[in-house]
Amino acid sequence: MVSKVLVTGGAGYIGSHAVVELLANGYECIVVDNLSNSSYESLARVQVLAKKRVPFYQVDLVDLEALVKVFEEHSDIESVLHFAGLKAVGESAQIPLQYYHNNVSGTVVLLQLMEKYEVKNLVFSSSATVYGDYTRYPGMVQVPETCPLQPTNPYGHTKFTIENILRDVSASGSWKFAILRYFNPIGAHPSGLIGEDPLGVPNNLLPYMAQVAVGRREKLSVFGDDYDTRDGTPIRDYIHVVDLAKGHVAALKYLQNQKKDLCAAWNLGSGKGSTVLEMYDAFTKACGIEIPRDIVGRRDGDVPLLVAKPTKAKLELDWKTELDVKEACEDLWRWVTKNPFGYSQHGVISRTVSKGDYENRLVTLGHGSRFQLVISNKGATIFDLLVDGQSIVLGPGDPGDYSGATVGRYANRIAGGKYELEGKSYQLTTNDNDNTNHSGVDCFSEKHFLGPLVKTPSKGVFIAEYLLLDEQPTDFRSDLMVSVTYTLDVQAKSLDIQYQGVLTKGQATPINLTNHTYFNLNKVNADTVQGTEIRLATNEAVGLDGSLHHVNVSTFDARKEENTVLNAAGPRYDHCFVVADSTSLDSTKGKLRPIFRASHPESRISLEVLTTEPSFQFYTGDGLTGFAPRSGFAVEPARYVNAINNDKWKETVTLSRGDVYRSRIVYRFT
Ligand SMILES: NC(=O)c1ccc[n+]([C@@H]2O[C@H](COP(=O)([O-])OP(=O)(O)OC[C@H]3O[C@@H](n4cnc5c(N)ncnc54)[C@H](O)[C@@H]3O)[C@@H](O)[C@H]2O)c1
């Protein structure tokens, strides 16, 4: 059975790396975080990276009622990894009460609910800070877990207090507690997708140096070079955050394997110490940049030496560090160069549709420019598109309108909702007379996509990747993984959409993906498409029965013909136009062709649609319900209508194990 873990502080630096490791080890995770020192973006990325969903609750641990809801909704939580806490040593001296309230009271509330809901395993983030200055014991080079605890600052006192609470609670009942005393976590995930994103001025050496290297800060201050160490600067035990995250999985497995109650502490460190100047050298080597630095006076509360004796963790948890300082510096540099402003990206903003609902996030690409895209996790939907500062799409309407959404797993109609694959007959729920349109009850428009993972490879170019795990749908009998990638190019005024689908479980499935945006190029002036001039690449359309017929509409070729003008009541279109032979499951191997052009004389906005797909449905929105009829038109490039029931075209819409479905649509504006 899958073991469910509640991760407090899971959006933070160490917590987000731990979630990656837990998921990789087959655990299911739920994250609680008040985002006081983090951003949901870390978890959005973790989910795309791990290809797994992680439910998230923006909850403060001291808010008992809010936390109760989490335990109520997940009655099968088995264990807790408790990272949530404030951690800045200097700040803790200025606002000690807040530190005690947040760290200590938060832990007490958590333990009360764990007791109530009978969750007995806890892994707690303690710190080497609890040892204080252990050089008070002459001859002690590495600090063992048995060293008497004597923290020297309020932050350390909160950790020490929580450790004591755990020991007391454990003595009173049946619990399994692992106290992990971290040394100095550094580095980032090797993917460059997640890392440390300190708010304000970083307190730690490596993040500070990284910000100097990318030009966010002027120079590094080295606090004291007159300590009794090899180069006069303090020595710390630096540990790669991925090793640290793995240490948590090791501790959790250890707890789960213990028959008896326990409350024990382990150092998580490498056992090796590096001075500040050695770290300076390692990081400047990794980034190839000479970082300006100044030696300044000692900082209050700093001890000269803090290095772990790591043998207990090796012996009992079967864990030791595998990555070194060099790898940590390289991974940190990768994270920083890919994300110079951490999880903030220039020209990208995100917000939730309603407070705390992170599954319904709106992400704006090109924010601040006159060409902007707003996309939503629900249906990987085009929520809004601004061309020359004007909105030209309808945005979400009624569920049945599919407005702006990704439609799949099978776009367009399946005659009678019936098909046969690999000798088996299937019947889908019908929703369009006797047919099934856009997959009916299983349509992607109502499903929540993971991500998006946003990249900004060059100025004015934004790439956003959504991922859908379409698991256990109502009608279809197999699981799919689908990615939808939006590329917005502000200079070129183009929006490129790429789809990819693979079968992850079960029998072969029909597949056909498209976008269902309703365009109104003159939306700022009128709420209908009236006056829109159009031309199509072809006037040949295919019917549900596979027969071809001609439709009265202007085409690209007919030079003498006037453009077709859409008026208040007509002409009406809802046809599948054919632009190429329907041959491949991966249409992106073929040509990208222009298939549709539209412009409006009043707004002077023109749209050209290009695709690698062999056909497109053109619909003038005459049956719209969420909006006035004909308030937008849709152009939906995809495979031939009902191809799944036509032996000639069936292959282009049949996805079997090992196959990859791909398609591409481009909207260009002038
Ligand atoms: N980073 C280090 O150098 C280090 C060293 C030793 C121990 N630790 C401990 O490890 C844990 C994680 O550290 P990190 O570096 O990932 O810090 P972090 O600030 O990145 O992560 C802590 C997370 O907890 C959240 N949080 C804080 N108070 C909360 C509350 N009351 N309710 C809900 N969420 C709350 C924050 O928003 C943040 O996402 C902390 O407990 C810290 O004290 C960190």
Side-chain angles (χ1 to χ4, degrees), residues 87 166 198 272 274 419 434 442 490 504 529 547 614 616 650:
K87 61 163 186 179
L166 294 178
K272 294 180 202 111
S274 308
Y419 62 92
D434 288 336
D442 283 332
V490 172
T504 51
V529 295
S547 65
F616 66 99
K650 199 167 185 161

Side-chain angles (χ1 to χ4, degrees), residues 13-14 33-34 36-38 60-61 83 87 102 155 159 185:
Y13 171 45
I14 305 169
D33 198 304
N34 63 4
S36 59
N37 194 39
S38 52
D60 194 309
L61 284 193
F83 294 96
K87 61 163 186 179
N102 191 79
Y155 164 67
K159 294 289 179 194

